[in-house]
mmCIF file of all heavy atoms in Angstrom:
data_model
loop_
_atom_site.group_PDB
_atom_site.id
_atom_site.type_symbol
_atom_site.label_atom_id
_atom_site.label_comp_id
_atom_site.label_asym_id
_atom_site.label_seq_id
_atom_site.Cartn_x
_atom_site.Cartn_y
_atom_site.Cartn_z
ATOM 1 N N SER B 122 -106.268 97.898 279.476
ATOM 2 C CA SER B 122 -105.612 98.633 280.559
ATOM 3 C C SER B 122 -106.628 99.194 281.544
ATOM 4 O O SER B 122 -106.356 99.272 282.745
ATOM 5 C CB SER B 122 -104.761 99.769 279.987
ATOM 6 O OG SER B 122 -103.751 99.236 279.157
ATOM 7 N N CYS B 123 -107.810 99.571 281.067
ATOM 8 C CA CYS B 123 -108.870 100.057 281.965
ATOM 9 C C CYS B 123 -109.277 98.933 282.901
ATOM 10 O O CYS B 123 -109.490 99.154 284.098
ATOM 11 C CB CYS B 123 -110.088 100.524 281.172
ATOM 12 S SG CYS B 123 -109.778 101.943 280.122
ATOM 13 N N ARG B 124 -109.390 97.745 282.352
ATOM 14 C CA ARG B 124 -109.786 96.606 283.182
ATOM 15 C C ARG B 124 -108.706 96.337 284.230
ATOM 16 O O ARG B 124 -109.021 96.032 285.378
ATOM 17 C CB ARG B 124 -110.025 95.379 282.283
ATOM 18 C CG ARG B 124 -110.541 94.215 283.067
ATOM 19 C CD ARG B 124 -111.352 93.244 282.235
ATOM 20 N NE ARG B 124 -111.441 91.959 282.934
ATOM 21 C CZ ARG B 124 -112.158 90.936 282.511
ATOM 22 N NH1 ARG B 124 -112.848 91.037 281.392
ATOM 23 N NH2 ARG B 124 -112.189 89.804 283.191
ATOM 24 N N TRP B 125 -107.436 96.460 283.877
ATOM 25 C CA TRP B 125 -106.347 96.260 284.840
ATOM 26 C C TRP B 125 -106.443 97.286 285.974
ATOM 27 O O TRP B 125 -106.242 96.942 287.139
ATOM 28 C CB TRP B 125 -104.990 96.363 284.123
ATOM 29 C CG TRP B 125 -103.835 96.070 285.028
ATOM 30 C CD1 TRP B 125 -103.304 94.851 285.328
ATOM 31 C CD2 TRP B 125 -103.058 97.033 285.773
ATOM 32 N NE1 TRP B 125 -102.260 94.981 286.210
ATOM 33 C CE2 TRP B 125 -102.088 96.299 286.499
ATOM 34 C CE3 TRP B 125 -103.108 98.418 285.900
ATOM 35 C CZ2 TRP B 125 -101.164 96.931 287.340
ATOM 36 C CZ3 TRP B 125 -102.187 99.040 286.739
ATOM 37 C CH2 TRP B 125 -101.221 98.303 287.447
ATOM 38 N N VAL B 126 -106.761 98.516 285.658
ATOM 39 C CA VAL B 126 -106.850 99.563 286.697
ATOM 40 C C VAL B 126 -107.922 99.197 287.725
ATOM 41 O O VAL B 126 -107.662 99.253 288.929
ATOM 42 C CB VAL B 126 -107.132 100.951 286.068
ATOM 43 C CG1 VAL B 126 -107.537 101.976 287.137
ATOM 44 C CG2 VAL B 126 -105.909 101.443 285.300
ATOM 45 N N VAL B 127 -109.116 98.801 287.260
ATOM 46 C CA VAL B 127 -110.182 98.530 288.232
ATOM 47 C C VAL B 127 -110.065 97.147 288.859
ATOM 48 O O VAL B 127 -110.363 96.955 290.035
ATOM 49 C CB VAL B 127 -111.602 98.731 287.629
ATOM 50 C CG1 VAL B 127 -111.856 100.194 287.348
ATOM 51 C CG2 VAL B 127 -111.816 97.886 286.394
ATOM 52 N N GLU B 128 -109.589 96.174 288.095
ATOM 53 C CA GLU B 128 -109.600 94.787 288.573
ATOM 54 C C GLU B 128 -108.344 94.446 289.379
ATOM 55 O O GLU B 128 -108.397 93.662 290.314
ATOM 56 C CB GLU B 128 -109.711 93.847 287.357
ATOM 57 C CG GLU B 128 -110.006 92.412 287.705
ATOM 58 C CD GLU B 128 -110.116 91.529 286.457
ATOM 59 O OE1 GLU B 128 -109.484 91.853 285.415
ATOM 60 O OE2 GLU B 128 -110.815 90.509 286.522
ATOM 61 N N THR B 129 -107.203 95.029 289.038
ATOM 62 C CA THR B 129 -105.922 94.641 289.646
ATOM 63 C C THR B 129 -105.328 95.762 290.495
ATOM 64 O O THR B 129 -104.898 95.535 291.618
ATOM 65 C CB THR B 129 -104.928 94.239 288.534
ATOM 66 O OG1 THR B 129 -105.547 93.227 287.736
ATOM 67 C CG2 THR B 129 -103.630 93.711 289.116
ATOM 68 N N LEU B 130 -105.286 96.983 289.965
ATOM 69 C CA LEU B 130 -104.631 98.070 290.703
ATOM 70 C C LEU B 130 -105.460 98.537 291.906
ATOM 71 O O LEU B 130 -104.940 98.650 293.021
ATOM 72 C CB LEU B 130 -104.360 99.250 289.760
ATOM 73 C CG LEU B 130 -103.678 100.458 290.410
ATOM 74 C CD1 LEU B 130 -102.263 100.106 290.878
ATOM 75 C CD2 LEU B 130 -103.627 101.641 289.446
ATOM 76 N N MET B 131 -106.730 98.815 291.687
ATOM 77 C CA MET B 131 -107.559 99.391 292.757
ATOM 78 C C MET B 131 -107.610 98.492 294.001
ATOM 79 O O MET B 131 -107.475 99.004 295.121
ATOM 80 C CB MET B 131 -108.966 99.708 292.227
ATOM 81 C CG MET B 131 -109.002 100.955 291.369
ATOM 82 S SD MET B 131 -108.486 102.392 292.331
ATOM 83 C CE MET B 131 -107.441 103.236 291.156
ATOM 84 N N PRO B 132 -107.768 97.159 293.857
ATOM 85 C CA PRO B 132 -107.785 96.305 295.064
ATOM 86 C C PRO B 132 -106.499 96.401 295.886
ATOM 87 O O PRO B 132 -106.525 96.225 297.102
ATOM 88 C CB PRO B 132 -107.982 94.896 294.494
ATOM 89 C CG PRO B 132 -108.710 95.119 293.210
ATOM 90 C CD PRO B 132 -108.136 96.400 292.652
ATOM 91 N N ARG B 133 -105.365 96.724 295.255
ATOM 92 C CA ARG B 133 -104.116 96.883 296.010
ATOM 93 C C ARG B 133 -104.214 98.017 297.019
ATOM 94 O O ARG B 133 -103.475 98.065 297.991
ATOM 95 C CB ARG B 133 -102.958 97.206 295.067
ATOM 96 C CG ARG B 133 -102.546 96.037 294.205
ATOM 97 C CD ARG B 133 -101.306 96.440 293.431
ATOM 98 N NE ARG B 133 -101.072 95.507 292.349
ATOM 99 C CZ ARG B 133 -100.258 95.746 291.334
ATOM 100 N NH1 ARG B 133 -99.612 96.894 291.257
ATOM 101 N NH2 ARG B 133 -100.091 94.851 290.392
ATOM 102 N N TYR B 134 -105.093 98.970 296.748
ATOM 103 C CA TYR B 134 -105.278 100.105 297.653
ATOM 104 C C TYR B 134 -106.550 99.961 298.487
ATOM 105 O O TYR B 134 -107.058 100.935 299.044
ATOM 106 C CB TYR B 134 -105.318 101.406 296.842
ATOM 107 C CG TYR B 134 -104.034 101.659 296.083
ATOM 108 C CD1 TYR B 134 -103.962 101.495 294.708
ATOM 109 C CD2 TYR B 134 -102.876 102.034 296.773
ATOM 110 C CE1 TYR B 134 -102.770 101.700 294.028
ATOM 111 C CE2 TYR B 134 -101.692 102.243 296.093
ATOM 112 C CZ TYR B 134 -101.641 102.079 294.725
ATOM 113 O OH TYR B 134 -100.463 102.271 294.052
ATOM 114 N N GLY B 135 -107.079 98.740 298.530
ATOM 115 C CA GLY B 135 -108.245 98.493 299.380
ATOM 116 C C GLY B 135 -109.567 98.913 298.766
ATOM 117 O O GLY B 135 -110.562 99.057 299.469
ATOM 118 N N VAL B 136 -109.585 99.131 297.456
ATOM 119 C CA VAL B 136 -110.836 99.482 296.772
ATOM 120 C C VAL B 136 -111.313 98.242 296.019
ATOM 121 O O VAL B 136 -110.640 97.782 295.095
ATOM 122 C CB VAL B 136 -110.634 100.657 295.792
ATOM 123 C CG1 VAL B 136 -111.935 100.977 295.068
ATOM 124 C CG2 VAL B 136 -110.112 101.884 296.534
ATOM 125 N N GLU B 137 -112.442 97.708 296.431
ATOM 126 C CA GLU B 137 -112.932 96.489 295.786
ATOM 127 C C GLU B 137 -113.656 96.816 294.490
ATOM 128 O O GLU B 137 -114.189 97.912 294.317
ATOM 129 C CB GLU B 137 -113.898 95.762 296.731
ATOM 130 C CG GLU B 137 -113.187 94.973 297.814
ATOM 131 C CD GLU B 137 -114.176 94.091 298.562
ATOM 132 O OE1 GLU B 137 -114.860 93.277 297.908
ATOM 133 O OE2 GLU B 137 -114.263 94.256 299.791
ATOM 134 N N CYS B 138 -113.657 95.828 293.595
ATOM 135 C CA CYS B 138 -114.292 96.038 292.297
ATOM 136 C C CYS B 138 -115.122 94.822 291.912
ATOM 137 O O CYS B 138 -114.670 93.691 292.054
ATOM 138 C CB CYS B 138 -113.205 96.280 291.251
ATOM 139 S SG CYS B 138 -113.851 96.349 289.584
ATOM 140 N N THR B 139 -116.349 95.065 291.453
ATOM 141 C CA THR B 139 -117.194 93.988 290.924
ATOM 142 C C THR B 139 -117.362 94.226 289.433
ATOM 143 O O THR B 139 -117.726 95.322 289.020
ATOM 144 C CB THR B 139 -118.591 94.012 291.600
ATOM 145 O OG1 THR B 139 -118.408 93.977 293.008
ATOM 146 C CG2 THR B 139 -119.430 92.826 291.156
ATOM 147 N N LEU B 140 -117.087 93.185 288.636
ATOM 148 C CA LEU B 140 -117.279 93.286 287.185
ATOM 149 C C LEU B 140 -118.620 92.672 286.815
ATOM 150 O O LEU B 140 -118.981 91.601 287.318
ATOM 151 C CB LEU B 140 -116.156 92.558 286.440
ATOM 152 C CG LEU B 140 -114.750 93.136 286.585
ATOM 153 C CD1 LEU B 140 -113.737 92.264 285.854
ATOM 154 C CD2 LEU B 140 -114.677 94.567 286.069
ATOM 155 N N VAL B 141 -119.360 93.360 285.961
ATOM 156 C CA VAL B 141 -120.685 92.885 285.556
ATOM 157 C C VAL B 141 -120.786 92.862 284.029
ATOM 158 O O VAL B 141 -119.960 93.456 283.336
ATOM 159 C CB VAL B 141 -121.807 93.802 286.114
ATOM 160 C CG1 VAL B 141 -121.794 93.807 287.633
ATOM 161 C CG2 VAL B 141 -121.685 95.228 285.576
ATOM 162 N N ASP B 142 -121.825 92.179 283.540
ATOM 163 C CA ASP B 142 -122.143 92.237 282.114
ATOM 164 C C ASP B 142 -122.817 93.597 281.885
ATOM 165 O O ASP B 142 -123.939 93.824 282.353
ATOM 166 C CB ASP B 142 -123.096 91.093 281.749
ATOM 167 C CG ASP B 142 -123.468 91.102 280.275
ATOM 168 O OD1 ASP B 142 -123.400 92.183 279.635
ATOM 169 O OD2 ASP B 142 -123.838 90.043 279.745
ATOM 170 N N GLY B 143 -122.124 94.495 281.195
ATOM 171 C CA GLY B 143 -122.592 95.870 281.050
ATOM 172 C C GLY B 143 -123.948 95.999 280.379
ATOM 173 O O GLY B 143 -124.620 97.022 280.507
ATOM 174 N N ARG B 144 -124.366 94.945 279.649
ATOM 175 C CA ARG B 144 -125.643 95.003 278.935
ATOM 176 C C ARG B 144 -126.821 94.688 279.835
ATOM 177 O O ARG B 144 -127.967 94.912 279.475
ATOM 178 C CB ARG B 144 -125.639 93.968 277.782
ATOM 179 C CG ARG B 144 -124.591 94.255 276.731
ATOM 180 C CD ARG B 144 -124.388 93.047 275.830
ATOM 181 N NE ARG B 144 -123.851 91.910 276.590
ATOM 182 C CZ ARG B 144 -123.521 90.734 276.072
ATOM 183 N NH1 ARG B 144 -123.689 90.517 274.782
ATOM 184 N NH2 ARG B 144 -123.026 89.771 276.815
ATOM 185 N N ASN B 145 -126.502 94.119 281.024
ATOM 186 C CA ASN B 145 -127.547 93.575 281.883
ATOM 187 C C ASN B 145 -127.790 94.503 283.092
ATOM 188 O O ASN B 145 -127.017 94.527 284.046
ATOM 189 C CB ASN B 145 -127.111 92.184 282.341
ATOM 190 C CG ASN B 145 -128.189 91.472 283.132
ATOM 191 O OD1 ASN B 145 -129.051 92.112 283.752
ATOM 192 N ND2 ASN B 145 -128.149 90.155 283.114
ATOM 193 N N LEU B 146 -128.884 95.271 283.050
ATOM 194 C CA LEU B 146 -129.151 96.256 284.114
ATOM 195 C C LEU B 146 -129.326 95.586 285.470
ATOM 196 O O LEU B 146 -128.955 96.162 286.500
ATOM 197 C CB LEU B 146 -130.399 97.083 283.763
ATOM 198 C CG LEU B 146 -130.279 97.967 282.506
ATOM 199 C CD1 LEU B 146 -131.598 98.686 282.247
ATOM 200 C CD2 LEU B 146 -129.136 98.976 282.639
ATOM 201 N N ASP B 147 -129.872 94.363 285.489
ATOM 202 C CA ASP B 147 -130.057 93.662 286.771
ATOM 203 C C ASP B 147 -128.707 93.380 287.430
ATOM 204 O O ASP B 147 -128.594 93.433 288.652
ATOM 205 C CB ASP B 147 -130.824 92.353 286.556
ATOM 206 C CG ASP B 147 -132.276 92.621 286.164
ATOM 207 O OD1 ASP B 147 -132.782 93.704 286.529
ATOM 208 O OD2 ASP B 147 -132.875 91.771 285.481
ATOM 209 N N GLU B 148 -127.696 93.077 286.625
ATOM 210 C CA GLU B 148 -126.371 92.825 287.208
ATOM 211 C C GLU B 148 -125.787 94.099 287.819
ATOM 212 O O GLU B 148 -125.170 94.062 288.882
ATOM 213 C CB GLU B 148 -125.405 92.241 286.156
ATOM 214 C CG GLU B 148 -125.678 90.782 285.842
ATOM 215 C CD GLU B 148 -124.511 90.099 285.142
ATOM 216 O OE1 GLU B 148 -123.341 90.536 285.312
ATOM 217 O OE2 GLU B 148 -124.771 89.135 284.401
ATOM 218 N N TRP B 149 -125.978 95.225 287.147
ATOM 219 C CA TRP B 149 -125.511 96.504 287.716
ATOM 220 C C TRP B 149 -126.185 96.746 289.065
ATOM 221 O O TRP B 149 -125.546 97.079 290.053
ATOM 222 C CB TRP B 149 -125.829 97.678 286.784
ATOM 223 C CG TRP B 149 -124.986 97.792 285.553
ATOM 224 C CD1 TRP B 149 -125.330 97.379 284.295
ATOM 225 C CD2 TRP B 149 -123.677 98.388 285.436
ATOM 226 N NE1 TRP B 149 -124.316 97.673 283.406
ATOM 227 C CE2 TRP B 149 -123.292 98.289 284.079
ATOM 228 C CE3 TRP B 149 -122.790 98.983 286.338
ATOM 229 C CZ2 TRP B 149 -122.073 98.772 283.603
ATOM 230 C CZ3 TRP B 149 -121.574 99.461 285.861
ATOM 231 C CH2 TRP B 149 -121.226 99.351 284.514
ATOM 232 N N LYS B 150 -127.539 96.558 289.081
ATOM 233 C CA LYS B 150 -128.303 96.820 290.315
ATOM 234 C C LYS B 150 -127.844 95.902 291.432
ATOM 235 O O LYS B 150 -127.638 96.346 292.569
ATOM 236 C CB LYS B 150 -129.805 96.591 290.063
ATOM 237 C CG LYS B 150 -130.463 97.745 289.333
ATOM 238 C CD LYS B 150 -131.965 97.472 289.154
ATOM 239 C CE LYS B 150 -132.477 98.278 287.975
ATOM 240 N NZ LYS B 150 -133.593 97.651 287.269
ATOM 241 N N ALA B 151 -127.672 94.609 291.111
ATOM 242 C CA ALA B 151 -127.324 93.626 292.141
ATOM 243 C C ALA B 151 -125.926 93.876 292.704
ATOM 244 O O ALA B 151 -125.641 93.511 293.840
ATOM 245 C CB ALA B 151 -127.425 92.211 291.560
ATOM 246 N N ALA B 152 -125.057 94.505 291.925
ATOM 247 C CA ALA B 152 -123.670 94.701 292.372
ATOM 248 C C ALA B 152 -123.522 95.912 293.297
ATOM 249 O O ALA B 152 -122.488 96.076 293.947
ATOM 250 C CB ALA B 152 -122.757 94.871 291.154
ATOM 251 N N MET B 153 -124.551 96.748 293.376
ATOM 252 C CA MET B 153 -124.447 97.978 294.169
ATOM 253 C C MET B 153 -124.359 97.659 295.663
ATOM 254 O O MET B 153 -125.056 96.785 296.169
ATOM 255 C CB MET B 153 -125.655 98.888 293.904
ATOM 256 C CG MET B 153 -125.762 99.422 292.490
ATOM 257 S SD MET B 153 -124.421 100.530 292.004
ATOM 258 C CE MET B 153 -124.819 101.993 292.975
ATOM 259 N N ARG B 154 -123.475 98.381 296.365
ATOM 260 C CA ARG B 154 -123.330 98.233 297.828
ATOM 261 C C ARG B 154 -123.377 99.637 298.435
ATOM 262 O O ARG B 154 -123.158 100.623 297.728
ATOM 263 C CB ARG B 154 -121.956 97.651 298.171
ATOM 264 C CG ARG B 154 -121.686 96.281 297.593
ATOM 265 C CD ARG B 154 -120.291 95.849 298.033
ATOM 266 N NE ARG B 154 -119.837 94.700 297.262
ATOM 267 C CZ ARG B 154 -118.575 94.270 297.261
ATOM 268 N NH1 ARG B 154 -117.649 94.899 297.979
ATOM 269 N NH2 ARG B 154 -118.235 93.224 296.549
ATOM 270 N N PRO B 155 -123.562 99.729 299.734
ATOM 271 C CA PRO B 155 -123.521 101.065 300.366
ATOM 272 C C PRO B 155 -122.181 101.766 300.117
ATOM 273 O O PRO B 155 -122.128 102.996 300.068
ATOM 274 C CB PRO B 155 -123.717 100.762 301.856
ATOM 275 C CG PRO B 155 -124.373 99.417 301.905
ATOM 276 C CD PRO B 155 -123.912 98.662 300.694
ATOM 277 N N GLN B 156 -121.112 100.990 299.938
ATOM 278 C CA GLN B 156 -119.772 101.574 299.735
ATOM 279 C C GLN B 156 -119.484 101.899 298.274
ATOM 280 O O GLN B 156 -118.385 102.371 297.945
ATOM 281 C CB GLN B 156 -118.676 100.606 300.212
ATOM 282 C CG GLN B 156 -118.751 100.176 301.669
ATOM 283 C CD GLN B 156 -119.759 99.042 301.898
ATOM 284 O OE1 GLN B 156 -120.289 98.461 300.965
ATOM 285 N NE2 GLN B 156 -120.051 98.773 303.156
ATOM 286 N N THR B 157 -120.420 101.626 297.357
ATOM 287 C CA THR B 157 -120.145 101.838 295.935
ATOM 288 C C THR B 157 -120.040 103.333 295.630
ATOM 289 O O THR B 157 -120.977 104.094 295.893
ATOM 290 C CB THR B 157 -121.248 101.196 295.061
ATOM 291 O OG1 THR B 157 -121.380 99.828 295.436
ATOM 292 C CG2 THR B 157 -120.895 101.290 293.591
ATOM 293 N N LYS B 158 -118.899 103.739 295.079
ATOM 294 C CA LYS B 158 -118.676 105.155 294.785
ATOM 295 C C LYS B 158 -118.681 105.432 293.286
ATOM 296 O O LYS B 158 -119.012 106.529 292.847
ATOM 297 C CB LYS B 158 -117.312 105.606 295.347
ATOM 298 C CG LYS B 158 -117.271 105.689 296.854
ATOM 299 C CD LYS B 158 -117.982 106.963 297.341
ATOM 300 C CE LYS B 158 -118.371 106.871 298.803
ATOM 301 N NZ LYS B 158 -117.230 106.680 299.697
ATOM 302 N N VAL B 159 -118.229 104.450 292.502
ATOM 303 C CA VAL B 159 -118.027 104.695 291.073
ATOM 304 C C VAL B 159 -118.585 103.538 290.247
ATOM 305 O O VAL B 159 -118.366 102.375 290.577
ATOM 306 C CB VAL B 159 -116.509 104.825 290.760
ATOM 307 C CG1 VAL B 159 -116.271 104.989 289.261
ATOM 308 C CG2 VAL B 159 -115.887 105.996 291.517
ATOM 309 N N LEU B 160 -119.311 103.891 289.183
ATOM 310 C CA LEU B 160 -119.683 102.924 288.152
ATOM 311 C C LEU B 160 -118.903 103.321 286.907
ATOM 312 O O LEU B 160 -118.811 104.521 286.594
ATOM 313 C CB LEU B 160 -121.191 102.951 287.882
ATOM 314 C CG LEU B 160 -122.077 102.140 288.854
ATOM 315 C CD1 LEU B 160 -122.043 102.718 290.247
ATOM 316 C CD2 LEU B 160 -123.510 102.092 288.343
ATOM 317 N N PHE B 161 -118.359 102.340 286.217
ATOM 318 C CA PHE B 161 -117.464 102.654 285.098
ATOM 319 C C PHE B 161 -117.797 101.770 283.903
ATOM 320 O O PHE B 161 -117.948 100.557 284.037
ATOM 321 C CB PHE B 161 -116.010 102.416 285.555
ATOM 322 C CG PHE B 161 -114.973 102.691 284.500
ATOM 323 C CD1 PHE B 161 -114.964 103.879 283.796
ATOM 324 C CD2 PHE B 161 -113.987 101.755 284.224
ATOM 325 C CE1 PHE B 161 -114.008 104.136 282.820
ATOM 326 C CE2 PHE B 161 -113.016 102.009 283.252
ATOM 327 C CZ PHE B 161 -113.035 103.195 282.554
ATOM 328 N N LEU B 162 -117.893 102.402 282.726
ATOM 329 C CA LEU B 162 -118.199 101.619 281.518
ATOM 330 C C LEU B 162 -117.645 102.318 280.284
ATOM 331 O O LEU B 162 -117.318 103.501 280.311
ATOM 332 C CB LEU B 162 -119.719 101.433 281.368
ATOM 333 C CG LEU B 162 -120.589 102.693 281.192
ATOM 334 C CD1 LEU B 162 -120.670 103.143 279.729
ATOM 335 C CD2 LEU B 162 -121.988 102.427 281.713
ATOM 336 N N GLU B 163 -117.544 101.550 279.198
ATOM 337 C CA GLU B 163 -117.326 102.142 277.887
ATOM 338 C C GLU B 163 -118.422 101.628 276.965
ATOM 339 O O GLU B 163 -118.912 100.506 277.131
ATOM 340 C CB GLU B 163 -115.932 101.823 277.345
ATOM 341 C CG GLU B 163 -115.615 100.357 277.189
ATOM 342 C CD GLU B 163 -114.183 100.105 276.748
ATOM 343 O OE1 GLU B 163 -113.275 100.341 277.558
ATOM 344 O OE2 GLU B 163 -113.977 99.663 275.626
ATOM 345 N N SER B 164 -118.840 102.442 276.021
ATOM 346 C CA SER B 164 -119.905 102.057 275.101
ATOM 347 C C SER B 164 -119.797 102.892 273.834
ATOM 348 O O SER B 164 -119.756 104.119 273.947
ATOM 349 C CB SER B 164 -121.281 102.283 275.750
ATOM 350 O OG SER B 164 -122.322 101.879 274.895
ATOM 351 N N PRO B 165 -119.686 102.265 272.662
ATOM 352 C CA PRO B 165 -119.548 100.843 272.395
ATOM 353 C C PRO B 165 -118.257 100.293 272.997
ATOM 354 O O PRO B 165 -117.293 101.034 273.182
ATOM 355 C CB PRO B 165 -119.484 100.764 270.862
ATOM 356 C CG PRO B 165 -120.055 102.045 270.364
ATOM 357 C CD PRO B 165 -119.748 103.052 271.412
ATOM 358 N N THR B 166 -118.273 98.991 273.279
ATOM 359 C CA THR B 166 -117.111 98.366 273.897
ATOM 360 C C THR B 166 -116.087 97.950 272.846
ATOM 361 O O THR B 166 -116.399 97.790 271.677
ATOM 362 C CB THR B 166 -117.528 97.113 274.675
ATOM 363 O OG1 THR B 166 -118.128 96.186 273.761
ATOM 364 C CG2 THR B 166 -118.515 97.457 275.779
ATOM 365 N N ASN B 167 -114.885 97.780 273.346
ATOM 366 C CA ASN B 167 -113.771 97.298 272.533
ATOM 367 C C ASN B 167 -113.580 95.807 272.814
ATOM 368 O O ASN B 167 -113.381 95.460 273.978
ATOM 369 C CB ASN B 167 -112.515 98.082 272.950
ATOM 370 C CG ASN B 167 -111.280 97.605 272.225
ATOM 371 O OD1 ASN B 167 -111.350 97.143 271.104
ATOM 372 N ND2 ASN B 167 -110.148 97.715 272.880
ATOM 373 N N PRO B 168 -113.555 94.930 271.862
ATOM 374 C CA PRO B 168 -113.669 95.157 270.423
ATOM 375 C C PRO B 168 -115.017 94.757 269.836
ATOM 376 O O PRO B 168 -115.197 94.866 268.626
ATOM 377 C CB PRO B 168 -112.601 94.199 269.882
ATOM 378 C CG PRO B 168 -112.678 93.020 270.811
ATOM 379 C CD PRO B 168 -113.088 93.571 272.162
#
Side-chain angles (χ1 to χ4, degrees):
S122 298
C123 296
R124 185 154 162 175
W125 184 86
V126 167
V127 291
E128 191 180 28
T129 306
L130 180 65
M131 284 299 138
R133 289 186 195 164
Y134 299 106
V136 178
E137 281 190 56
C138 173
T139 306
L140 294 177
V141 298
D142 180 336
R144 297 166 296 183
N145 186 334
L146 296 178
D147 291 334
E148 285 197 26
W149 286 100
K150 282 182 204 150
M153 295 295 288
R154 299 180 194 167
Q156 302 81 9
T157 306
K158 289 283 161 60
V159 176
L160 278 66
F161 180 51
L162 62 85
E163 59 184 70
S164 182
T166 60
N167 177 30

